[in-house]
Amino acid sequence: MLHFEPTNPADFPTLIEWENNPENKEFVFQYSIAKHQEVIDSKDQLHLKTINNQGVMVGFIILRGLLNPNQSVELKRILVHEKGKNYGKITLKLLQNLVFNKLNKHRLWLDVFTDNPRAQHVYKSVGFVKEGIKRECIKSGKNFRSLIIMSILRQDFKPFKLPS
């Protein structure tokens, strides 16, 4: 149903458009073309696009901390453009397969805004556990927003097989 492919510079205009979409902009930091390229060029990060059965890009992910000696990798970004098709949940399960089986890491973690219950629900549904809250750590206009830290450990991971 879905698979990952390396992101390339030709994808950048679409990624930037998606990041700036009003439905995403509130919850996803916007990167410049140069910043996306920096991620692709980094040995510590992984930038992948999510492709559906028709060969269409439907989202992307960014992992950070591939060189972390503690084997803890951060899901820095997940963006699913086509919402309501279960792509987010499947992307997260595929990502867990990648992190724990292929990259052989111990921990996958992320942060999510406290005012994004939709994302929190999806993360929880695929095994992520709330670890704590970084209170008012992001300045947003004149206000501050808080982040929830969530993670899944290798021993809590349940392998995922794509439906045929």
Side-chain angles (χ1 to χ4, degrees):
M1 175 175 215
L2 296 178
H3 68 276
F4 295 129
E5 293 180 8
T7 310
N8 62 65
D11 302 316
F12 294 167
T14 301
L15 304 184
I16 290 169
E17 177 186 325
W18 291 352
E19 289 171 338
N20 285 287
N21 181 301
E23 198 172 36
N24 302 321
K25 192 172 187 165
E26 183 179 351
F27 301 114
V28 176
F29 294 107
Q30 290 74 49
Y31 277 6
S32 64
I33 287 175
K35 182 66 176 176
H36 279 289
Q37 186 64 56
E38 179 184 313
V39 172
I40 286 176
D41 293 341
S42 170
K43 292 185 184 329
D44 191 48
Q45 298 182 76
L46 188 59
H47 202 310
L48 299 172
K49 55 188 173 183
T50 310
I51 307 293
N52 70 10
N53 279 347
Q54 291 75 41
V56 175
M57 181 171 62
V58 296
F60 72 99
I61 62 161
I62 298 174
L63 291 178
R64 184 164 68 178
L66 299 178
L67 303 176
N68 182 316
N70 299 307
Q71 298 180 353
S72 183
V73 175
E74 176 188 6
L75 174 55
K76 179 63 180 166
R77 168 95 30 101
I78 179 171
L79 193 148
V80 176
H81 179 64
E82 295 192 31
K83 296 175 180 27
K85 295 186 176 184
N86 215 25
Y87 287 163
K89 191 171 186 175
I90 294 170
T91 297
L92 287 164
K93 294 302 287 180
L94 289 172
L95 178 61
Q96 290 173 6
N97 281 347
L98 172 70
V99 167
F100 296 121
N101 291 335
K102 286 192 174 183
L103 300 177
N104 198 30
K105 301 301 181 184
H106 174 71
R107 178 175 177 264
L108 174 61
W109 71 278
L110 56 87
D111 54 41
V112 58
F113 285 109
T114 55
D115 59 346
N116 190 352
R118 179 180 186 174
Q120 293 169 44
H121 172 76
V122 175
Y123 297 140
K124 190 174 181 181
S125 75
V126 297
F128 282 86
V129 174
K130 179 179 173 181
E131 292 184 344
I133 296 178
K134 291 172 66 175
R135 299 179 318 140
E136 297 186 2
C137 61
I138 302 293
K139 188 160 177 31
S140 179
K142 294 182 179 182
N143 299 312
F144 290 88
R145 295 171 74 191
S146 299
L147 292 169
I148 296 172
I149 306 299
M150 300 181 82
S151 72
I152 184 169
L153 303 176
R154 174 191 293 281
Q155 65 258 27
D156 300 325
F157 161 66
K158 294 176 180 45
F160 175 72
K161 295 196 181 193
L162 282 172
S164 352

